[in-house]
Amino acid sequence: MIKGSKICGISDLDTLNFIINHPYPPQFIGFICNYKKSSRYVEVEKLNELLTLDKKKSNFVAVLVKPDEILEKIKHLPFDYYQIYDSTPDEIKEIKQKYNKKIITALTVSNQDDINKYKAFEDVADILLFDSKGYEKTQSFNHNFLDNVNSSKPIMVAGDIRTDDLNNFKDKPFLIDVSGNLESKKGVKDINKIDKFLNTVHNISS
């Protein structure tokens, strides 16, 4: 059964307010903090504004690609998790200890060998995220690769997942991470698509 959901790439107050106050809010809400190639990138000044909202039942996630000085700029913000791409286990361990944050380790996947890299990150990750190699582009990978993952850590899955695909995961104990497919155009979240996604996750997982 689906264990929960994450909506990523939020960049405006109205959308964030809608998600937080939804009858079935996601467990995680992600903000693109330092990857400027993404149409969903949010400047620190805007993050200061967005993250004043009461998160209620959701966790705020800073999405970071090989983070450096950005960590000092966002350390005052109420993020519950840092989701980190392109860093080594040692780098992540150092970040986790210095900033006292839970870590979502993001592994990008195009083949089975990419999946197996998770073993090196289990000790530093609170959640393992398997994503496509698309980054700012919405791309998928063969989610059946995950059948061979044997970890005690929660598994989060991304990579061009659509609301209509959720039934494919109904027997999988995954957290589902969606971004681009909840948009009406690139970088612009669609309230109706978000509503359908959250209701569908609730119906499948309840």
Side-chain angles (χ1 to χ4, degrees):
M1 149 187 331
I2 292 175
K3 292 291 187 181
S5 62
K6 173 168 166 277
I7 295 178
C8 196
I10 304 306
S11 58
D12 70 277
L13 276 171
D14 288 344
T15 304
L16 181 57
N17 193 54
F18 176 82
I19 293 170
I20 288 171
N21 291 289
H22 193 275
Y24 313 118
Q27 281 87 335
F28 305 90
I29 302 172
F31 304 84
I32 313 298
C33 295
N34 75 326
Y35 193 65
K36 296 183 180 181
K37 291 181 182 179
S38 173
S39 58
R40 307 167 189 104
Y41 165 69
V42 185
E43 298 270 5
V44 173
E45 292 75 15
K46 186 65 180 287
L47 287 171
N48 285 324
E49 177 187 0
L50 291 172
L51 272 62
T52 58
L53 288 185
D54 180 356
K55 67 185 82 169
K56 298 186 178 179
K57 295 180 180 179
S58 298
N59 293 286
F60 284 164
V61 180
V63 179
L64 302 157
V65 178
K66 202 167 182 59
D68 43 34
E69 70 270 8
I70 186 65
L71 295 169
E72 283 298 305
K73 294 178 180 178
I74 65 171
K75 66 181 182 181
H76 66 287
L77 293 169
F79 284 115
D80 302 284
Y81 288 79
Y82 286 173
Q83 175 177 316
I84 301 178
Y85 290 79
D86 295 352
S87 294
T88 67
D90 285 343
E91 288 168 339
I92 292 173
K93 183 178 181 180
E94 185 177 331
I95 291 168
K96 184 173 187 175
Q97 291 176 341
K98 182 175 181 179
Y99 296 99
N100 192 29
K101 298 293 182 182
K102 294 179 180 177
I103 300 293
I104 300 172
T105 295
L107 300 167
T108 57
V109 178
S110 62
N111 55 52
Q112 186 68 59
D113 288 340
D114 290 332
I115 294 284
N116 295 332
K117 293 175 184 175
Y118 79 87
K119 296 172 184 176
F121 292 88
E122 281 190 290
D123 289 343
V124 295
D126 294 281
I127 297 172
L128 293 166
L129 167 62
F130 295 92
D131 198 355
S132 75
K133 291 188 179 292
Y135 291 87
E136 77 276 12
K137 305 180 184 95
T138 300
Q139 293 181 5
S140 186
F141 68 93
N142 185 345
H143 293 116
N144 292 327
F145 290 157
L146 298 173
D147 291 346
N148 295 320
V149 174
N150 181 21
S151 176
S152 61
K153 300 297 174 72
I155 303 299
M156 185 179 285
V157 186
D160 197 24
I161 299 172
R162 302 169 187 271
T163 299
D164 291 343
D165 298 331
L166 291 176
N167 272 321
N168 298 334
F169 296 94
K170 65 181 180 181
D171 297 322
K172 306 285 187 181
F174 297 152
L175 298 155
I176 305 298
D177 183 351
V178 178
S179 181
N181 284 314
L182 300 181
E183 296 174 354
S184 54
K185 59 183 180 180
K186 196 166 184 64
V188 180
K189 290 291 185 287
D190 185 313
I191 296 296
N192 292 323
K193 291 183 178 182
I194 291 171
D195 182 54
K196 181 181 177 182
F197 170 73
L198 293 173
N199 287 325
T200 303
V201 170
H202 173 74
N203 291 335
I204 290 174
S205 57
S206 59

